[in-house]
Amino acid sequence: MLDKTLRMNYLFDFYQALLTPKQRKYMSLYYLDDFSLGEIAEEFEVSRQAVYDNIKRTEAMLEEYEHKLLLLSKFEERSKLMTDLKTAVTSNATPEETIELINSLEKLD
Amino acid sequence: MLDKTLRMNYLFDFYQALLTPKQRKYMSLYYLDDFSLGEIAEEFEVSRQAVYDNIKRTEAMLEEYEHKLLLLSKFEERSKLMTDLKTAVTSNATPEETIELINSLEKLD
């Protein structure tokens, strides 16, 4: 399991197109630019609590999208298989072994 | 460009988890089981127009999800690269050529 910040960075990357501009802005400042809740609140002239609530709701939405679409989970499986595939190619695995890895990759879609 | 029915089948496959149970049911009967609008209307005891409106709205939602997340478009690119990769492996391409194809695949994520 990835640590919380890293996981949110990934989920944000995969699903940010589904968020509102405000959600995107808060998440980006908080998770990518490492702003504090207080700093974001000041920037947008809202309460710290409002920023906190918005970010918590957005985090829950991102987890729900991941629960439904599994983009991060499939990305992780695909990355692992691609590493295996590169190892197979550079260590002269047989074509059959290599094709089997490509078939596993195809099944992930 | 895929024909409309095939495209809707694909989009439904990728994004159905984001639809409501009713949307899923109508789309599945209409696109997968080839029911007519009238047959679905009868089955659910609603008007044919209500089914038509629901399906049109759902189609627009699926296109909007695709516009934002590009899952079908990336799937198509990935499929093409995997075919090229299999050809490379079975036709004894050099490891460098094969690795380059795997790198292109990785960039799609």
Side-chain angles (χ1 to χ4, degrees), chain B residues 66-82:
Chain B
E66 173 62 11
H67 180 72
K68 289 176 174 172
L69 295 179
L70 299 173
L71 298 188
L72 172 55
S73 159
K74 286 180 181 176
F75 166 77
E76 288 175 329
E77 290 183 66
R78 218 164 18 236
S79 297
K80 197 193 158 303
L81 281 169
M82 292 217 249

Side-chain angles (χ1 to χ4, degrees), chain A residues 14-15 17-18 65 68-69 71 75 78 82 85-86 89-90 95 98-99 102-103 105-106 109, chain B residues 14-15 17-18 65 68-69 71 75 78 82 85-86 89-90 95 98-99 102-103 105-106 109:
Chain A
F14 283 113
Y15 301 110
L18 301 177
Y65 282 131
K68 289 177 174 171
L69 296 178
L71 299 188
F75 165 78
R78 220 165 15 236
M82 292 218 248
L85 195 51
K86 282 185 185 175
V89 170
T90 50
T98 311
I99 295 285
I102 302 171
N103 287 337
L105 259 178
E106 277 183 326
D109 264 320
Chain B
F14 283 112
Y15 301 110
L18 301 177
Y65 282 131
K68 289 176 174 172
L69 295 179
L71 298 188
F75 166 77
R78 218 164 18 236
M82 292 217 249
L85 195 51
K86 282 185 185 175
V89 170
T90 50
T98 312
I99 294 285
I102 302 171
N103 286 338
L105 260 178
E106 276 183 326
D109 263 319

Side-chain angles (χ1 to χ4, degrees), chain A residues 64-70, chain B residues 11-21 23-24 61-62 65:
Chain A
E64 203 181 318
Y65 282 131
E66 173 61 12
H67 180 72
K68 289 177 174 171
L69 296 178
L70 299 173
Chain B
L11 292 181
F12 182 66
D13 209 33
F14 283 112
Y15 301 110
Q16 61 174 294
L18 301 177
L19 303 177
T20 67
Q23 287 178 316
R24 264 201 295 277
M61 274 180 68
L62 292 177
Y65 282 131

Side-chain angles (χ1 to χ4, degrees), chain A residues 77-105:
Chain A
E77 289 184 67
R78 220 165 15 236
S79 296
K80 196 193 158 305
L81 280 169
M82 292 218 248
T83 304
D84 294 349
L85 195 51
K86 282 185 185 175
T87 306
V89 170
T90 50
S91 66
N92 296 311
T94 65
E96 291 72 24
E97 288 167 331
T98 311
I99 295 285
E100 195 161 319
L101 284 168
I102 302 171
N103 287 337
S104 305
L105 259 178

Side-chain angles (χ1 to χ4, degrees), chain B:
Chain B
M1 193 64 167
L2 300 172
D3 105 297
K4 167 88 184 282
T5 303
L6 189 55
R7 182 175 172 82
M8 278 302 146
N9 268 292
Y10 270 116
L11 292 181
F12 182 66
D13 209 33
F14 283 112
Y15 301 110
Q16 61 174 294
L18 301 177
L19 303 177
T20 67
K22 190 167 85 174
Q23 287 178 316
R24 264 201 295 277
K25 195 69 200 158
Y26 285 5
M27 289 295 282
S28 162
L29 289 172
Y30 190 68
Y31 278 108
L32 306 185
D33 302 333
D34 201 32
F35 274 45
S36 70
L37 294 173
E39 286 167 335
I40 301 173
E42 204 170 318
E43 179 91 6
F44 287 85
E45 300 181 352
V46 295
S47 70
R48 188 183 172 287
Q49 184 66 38
V51 175
Y52 176 83
D53 291 345
N54 187 293
I55 287 177
K56 286 293 132 187
R57 263 199 311 275
T58 308
E59 287 173 359
M61 274 180 68
L62 292 177
E63 288 291 357
E64 202 180 318
Y65 282 131
E66 173 62 11
H67 180 72
K68 289 176 174 172
L69 295 179
L70 299 173
L71 298 188
L72 172 55
S73 159
K74 286 180 181 176
F75 166 77
E76 288 175 329
E77 290 183 66
R78 218 164 18 236
S79 297
K80 197 193 158 303
L81 281 169
M82 292 217 249
T83 304
D84 294 349
L85 195 51
K86 282 185 185 175
T87 305
V89 170
T90 50
S91 66
N92 296 311
T94 64
E96 291 71 24
E97 289 166 332
T98 312
I99 294 285
E100 195 160 320
L101 285 168
I102 302 171
N103 286 338
S104 305
L105 260 178
E106 276 183 326
K107 281 203 202 100
L108 277 180
D109 263 319

